[in-house]
Amino acid sequence: MPAACDSVLEDIEDIVSAQDLKPHERQSVRKNVFPKVRKRSSHKNIQTDDDPPSDSIIPGAQKIWIRTWGCSHNNSDGEYMAGQLAAYGYKITENSAEADLWLLNSCTVKNPAEDHFRNSIKKAQEGNKKVVLAGCVPQAQPRQDYLKGLSIIGVQQIDRVVEVVEETIKGHSVRLLGQKKDNGKRLGGARLDLPKIRKNPLIEIISINTGCLNACTYCKTKHARGDLASYPIEELVDRAKQSFQGSTAAFGWTENWRSTYSAVLIIILDPLTHSEGVCEIWLTSEDTGAYGRDIGTDLPTLLWKLVEAIPEGAMLRLGMTNPPYILEHLEEMAKILNHPRVYAFLHIPVQSASDSVLMDMKREYCVADFKRVVDFLKEKVPGITIATDIICGFPGEMDEDFQETMKLVEQYRFPSLFINQFYPRPGTPAAKMHQVPAAVKKQRTKDLSQLFHSYNPYDHKIGERQRVLVTEESFDSNYYVAHNRFYEQVLVPKDPLLMGKMVEVNIYEAGKHFMKGQPVSDARVYTASITRPLAKGEVSGLTEEFRHAPQNGSNWKAHPSAEIPVKTLFSSRMALQLLWPQEGLKILSISLALLAVLVTFYYGGM
């Protein structure tokens, strides 16, 4: 039997056989075909224009409310997350009701802070708000029941907050809890050159390291922040310079200014520096005294580099340091704290004046160590303010232990004392210890508070003339808040000309936590920056990378700090290109106008 392919076709039309319908016959058949009409579905779950599918939602057009609890390190993280979101196009709002998404940045130090955090989550869900969680609570215990199904951004992943928010708005749940590493070594966290929105435009908060070297039995923060990881000195100094230093304009003349070219105006703009109006820097971390031990340096080395970048009229404030890691640097620390642009202030938590209690806490020092630090600094840095923390009712604390703590406070009369009733945090060793009865803890907290309020640390300063730096408004909005050399709070009149300035005042009144000062009319006023501060809510450090992010849409991703190619690191020189249209053009316009006047004057007099 011959194969089907044995016959050769001359043309494709040869495939049509004699039995097939002719073209005119096909046309008549087509007239008898009737289309079947489909009925429209009446289901209510059909998406309408008012309710587009989640993937069609345009990211970057929503309003976001950010709430932060806890320490200055947490506040710094919140500022960075706000800055990135604003740079991407999201609107940061202070009105929680109008927000489309709530970003809740939590603190895990004490039970009340976590309770507020949990209640805020519930309130957001009741209001049908999208929710993204951040901070130490979800980082330490992401599997808690009330966190199920919610997006989480880890404490070392804040440079990816845009991704998490974008996916959450689309209806997805995202969790980024990993650590930043470079060649297997843990890093301090996200990049320091990210955009941020400062809560106070005059104050720059810089986290110099994350984590610590301790293993305190009551501490939950360790579970979230981990072991010590420090930022390199160069990155920290660069961040400080960005905040402090400003573009400068210099005016000069050619030596032979009556030559053919008449007058020549020379404008010199320093492209490496552009001020953001900051006049105060806070250094923060879980333990600033431990800085650098993981990267072969130390805190004094960092501080000497930083003070070189601080202009006259600006100040540096050190964060909390535990006694063990400051002991070996006492001489250098005393010299730094005597520097005119460093506040003579140090926060050194003692927690208890009982060695047995400190041992149960695993604090790695004894009361004698704490006293040695305080006594040395008081001798070498006259007038220094020492702030400390005390926990009342730690498990196993006896009455005699608590009385030792009372004696310590009576001896030193700390002007700043943070009194904390002990709260057992889940998952910590202290939570499994024998607890002090709640009534006893409450009474000890009350007794210590009464002792603290029995003395007034500033009465002897009435009549003094002090130089103070004005940085914020008081809670009651009746005064501006300033701080003197020892970081003591001084209330001054609400004169807008004083904000961000260092002025001299006469102290005329003192309270428990403050003094009141009247500016001296003939005194010199110091200004740290030649330009105005950023407006409240304005983004700091906005580089081309983030400026063009909204145009790139959802394909934009923040680089993890360990994976940033050299070419994507945006220097302050690039940042100037963005700032030039605002400040540079102003300077250029004034300069050209001045040049025109001088030329007219010269030729008019010939």
Side-chain angles (χ1 to χ4, degrees), residues 92-103:
I92 307 302
T93 178
E94 295 184 359
N95 185 346
S96 60
E98 72 173 14
D100 301 292
L101 180 143
W102 287 14
L103 174 54

Side-chain angles (χ1 to χ4, degrees), residues 566-587:
V566 175
K567 291 183 180 179
T568 67
L569 289 174
F570 292 85
S571 65
S572 54
R573 187 181 298 271
M574 284 188 176
L576 178 71
Q577 296 173 1
L578 303 177
L579 296 165
W580 164 256
Q582 301 172 17
E583 301 295 340
L585 287 178
K586 292 179 183 177
I587 297 174

